[in-house]
Amino acid sequence: MQILCPVHNKPLEINESTIRWLGSDVRIWEGTCANCKVSYAGFAPLANFSSVIIENKVYQYLPAMEAYREYQRKQFEVELERKEAEARRLFEEERLKKQAEKKAQAAQKKQRKDQKKAREAQRQKTLEEKEKNYKAQVLYYRKNPRAPFTPSSVVMLDTMPVRCKQDGKPLTHLYNVKGKKGYCCLYCNTHYLLKRTKDQAIPAKTGLQKIQNKPSVTSSNTQEHSPEIDFWKKLPKNPIELPDSDSVSVVRLTSGRYDIRFIGITNQKNEVNMSEGIYWHEHRFAGAVLQTLLHQNPQMEYGELKLRLQEVKRGSVLSQYAEQDDVLRNTDPVPLYIYTLKLALEKYEVESATVQIYFPDAKKYILLNAYYAKKQNRYYMNAETYNDSVSAYGLPYVKPYIVDKDGTINHFGSNLSMASELNLYGYNVSAQSNYSDTYRQSLLVKLICYKLMTKAQIMSHLEFLIHFHRHHIGYRDAVDKWEQDLRFIREYNKYGQRSVQGYVVPAMKKNRHW
């Protein structure tokens, strides 16, 4: 709406303002003429005056400005009505959208419920068919007791159970396809056999024996029933069977020409599932596979198996091992001299120093305070500082030595536990530490893998501790733990180390002429 100046007939510049009238603030619409500088307003009290000066501004009454004010009021009401209608429309759309989502969720819930019912019905039908088949098999073998039984799986046990280990059904004494009698479960088609003891073992074929009195070779761990072969048969044959996860590394294993298996290795405990072929990275076999791959060796031996390895998928565990192995392969352990008492600093030129130590468990370098002796070219560290860093960051990549206050290396001092190299790396069997068997044995494996100690050194030290404390009453629990760890470390990498074959030399017959 355009309003013209009554004097110059030019459009007025209209805006809303506030004026002071009789002690009160009044909001008005005013139109200012650019030529005469007079402000025209539709304020009714101004009609009684030809012109009024308010705050150095000349105001005159103009009826058209009152019509303009009415026009602005109607425009405001129209805009307010439009906004209310838009808000109602949006509210209705949101309500209908939520209503549709609820209907869709209810439909999905009903569909899932129906699917669950269908699966349960199918499972029940399968169980009924299996039960029906089981009863038919029982009747058949009662009528034909010498009929051959073809199992789907064979289980070797030390003692024969009365019922099946899987479904609890009673076992039936039947003949297999080779004519040998054994206990069978007709429900799951499993054949149970007893493991042969050493006295029951079948003598191996020796061919033409040149020495008639040579003792026959017996073996209870035949390839068919060795734990390595049983473990090998449990691994999946197809990588599709392994779960798809970023932390799982998949490795292809080949035995012979056509026997192929796959193994998944992870460092996330919630993803370990040995029944599906996912193993913890510190597992005996999985750890050996990782070490073999990292040293770029495509072949390894596991018991009687000779395997070829091929990396199929590099997960986070293999990447972390590769990064860690690269640090350990290209650096040497830092020689660090640990002291418990006050060090005689006045004998050497000693200054404060910062030692950068790599912690493989934390996978990072840590800066620690130490003392540097210039004359000896050694780095000394207080035992408290060292033990705190081990507690906080795990196994350190250092070569620690215990020293007396004069700097002399103390191999077996008054404190045997502190002087132990294993103890310096965090190994402890005391009741206060309360370390589990898994934690202690995992630490020993890490010492070997990081080349901080050899298997022979660890075994020798554990044997010494057992021998030294065997007859001390207060060390019974400690000796039991040392013996358990010694048995574990003896079996570790048993087939990956140097192997020799021993044989019995028969006694010579006495000659009566001698």
Side-chain angles (χ1 to χ4, degrees), residues 239-246 248 250 264 271 273 276-278 313:
I240 300 177
E241 300 175 16
L242 296 172
D244 186 14
S245 175
D246 293 336
V248 177
V250 180
E271 293 186 355
N273 191 342
E276 295 183 359
I278 307 296
K313 174 192 168 188

Side-chain angles (χ1 to χ4, degrees), residues 111-154:
Q111 183 181 6
R112 288 195 296 268
K113 193 173 180 181
D114 293 343
Q115 289 176 352
K116 186 177 179 181
K117 284 184 178 179
R119 287 195 299 269
E120 185 64 26
Q122 182 64 30
R123 189 182 70 83
Q124 192 65 28
K125 183 179 178 181
T126 304
L127 289 176
E128 290 175 358
E129 291 178 355
K130 205 169 182 180
E131 190 70 27
K132 184 179 179 181
N133 185 37
Y134 168 70
K135 290 180 180 179
Q137 290 238 51
V138 171
L139 291 175
Y140 173 77
Y141 283 107
R142 281 180 183 173
K143 293 179 181 179
N144 306 282
R146 297 193 66 85
F149 174 71
T150 306
S152 59
S153 61
V154 178

Side-chain angles (χ1 to χ4, degrees), residues 213-282:
N213 59 351
K214 181 177 180 180
S216 59
V217 180
T218 62
S219 173
S220 60
N221 295 326
T222 59
Q223 184 171 352
E224 289 75 15
H225 308 306
S226 66
E228 291 81 11
I229 297 297
D230 292 340
F231 174 80
W232 172 258
K233 290 180 178 179
K234 293 178 183 178
L235 295 177
K237 296 182 179 181
N238 195 331
I240 300 177
E241 300 175 16
L242 296 172
D244 186 14
S245 175
D246 293 336
S247 67
V248 177
S249 299
V250 180
V251 181
R252 171 178 170 170
L253 312 170
T254 306
S255 175
R257 296 182 63 183
Y258 304 110
D259 196 1
I260 298 174
R261 296 288 193 278
F262 292 86
I263 184 173
I265 306 172
T266 182
N267 56 358
Q268 303 294 328
K269 288 195 174 181
N270 58 340
E271 293 186 355
V272 174
N273 191 342
M274 292 190 289
S275 61
E276 295 183 359
I278 307 296
Y279 288 83
W280 179 241
H281 67 104
E282 293 181 0

Side-chain angles (χ1 to χ4, degrees), residues 6-18:
V7 178
H8 302 94
N9 203 24
K10 296 284 181 74
L12 298 178
E13 183 182 347
I14 300 174
N15 53 25
E16 192 176 10
S17 64
T18 303

